[in-house]
Amino acid sequence: MGMWSLGLGTLGVAIVGIFLANTDLCLTKAAQASLEYLEDADLRSTGDDENTIKAKALWEKTGAVVMAEASELSSLKTQLEDLGVPLVAVVKENIGTEIQDFRSHFAGDIYVDEKHHFYGPLQRKMGGLGFIRLGVWQNFMRAWKAGYHGNMLGEGFVLGGVFVIGAGNQGILLEHREEEFGNKVENQDVLQAVKRIVPVQ
C-alpha cells in the first residue's frame, strides 16, 4: 500500500507540475514599457563601427519596428521599406558567433542592448518549466525546420518581444511580449500598427 501511495503521490505532483508549466500562473507578468524608458536605452551597433546610440534615434523621424530577438518579421522587410519604416533587431548579448549566425535569419540592422531595456522594465524569464510546455516544443520545431538552431551559450531564458514605435512622440503603437519561447507576433498586427505611423516632416 505504501509504494502505491508514493507512486500515486509522485504521479499527482508530476501532473500538477505539467499543468502549471502549461499555464501562465508561474510566468512573471509583463510590465508595459513606456516610450521614455525605451528611448533612453543605449544600443551598440554590431556593424564595423560598433557605435553606441540612444534608441530614440531609431524611430525619431520615421518610426520603427524593433524586435527583441525575433527573426520571423524579416518577411515584412520589403513592405516596411515601402512604408519608409526600418526593421531593427535588438539582442541582449553577443557571445561567440551568435550575431553572425542571426544575420542569416534577419534582414535588418542589429543592436546589442546590454542593459536589457527592450526586455524590461520587468525582465521576464521562462525558466526550466518552459521545457515541459507544449507550445515551447511546437515553436522550437518550427524554428528548427526554418534552419534556426541557436546556441546553448549566454542567458537563454529571457523572453523578448516586438515593438512598433511611432515617429517623434507618437509613442508605442504595438507592444507584443513573448508568453513563452518562440511566441511570435502576428505579421498583420505589425503592419496595421506601422500604417498608423506619422513620419516627422
Side-chain angles (χ1 to χ4, degrees), residues 133-194:
R133 286 179 71 110
L134 177 61
V136 170
W137 284 101
Q138 290 171 330
N139 294 333
F140 171 76
M141 292 307 294
R142 177 178 42 83
W144 188 270
K145 287 177 183 174
Y148 188 72
H149 306 294
N151 62 44
M152 300 304 283
L153 305 172
E155 179 52 85
F157 291 109
V158 177
L159 296 170
V162 174
F163 299 88
V164 175
I165 304 174
N169 292 318
Q170 195 175 359
I172 300 169
L173 305 176
L174 173 77
E175 179 175 351
H176 167 81
R177 299 295 187 141
E178 279 184 316
E179 295 170 9
E180 60 189 11
F181 300 130
N183 169 243
K184 62 182 188 172
V185 66
E186 294 295 327
N187 287 0
Q188 203 54 42
D189 293 343
V190 172
L191 285 174
Q192 285 176 357
V194 166

Side-chain angles (χ1 to χ4, degrees), residues 47-60:
D48 294 334
D49 54 9
E50 290 200 8
N51 288 339
T52 299
I53 64 167
K54 287 291 185 189
K56 181 178 183 175
L58 297 175
W59 60 78
E60 198 164 23

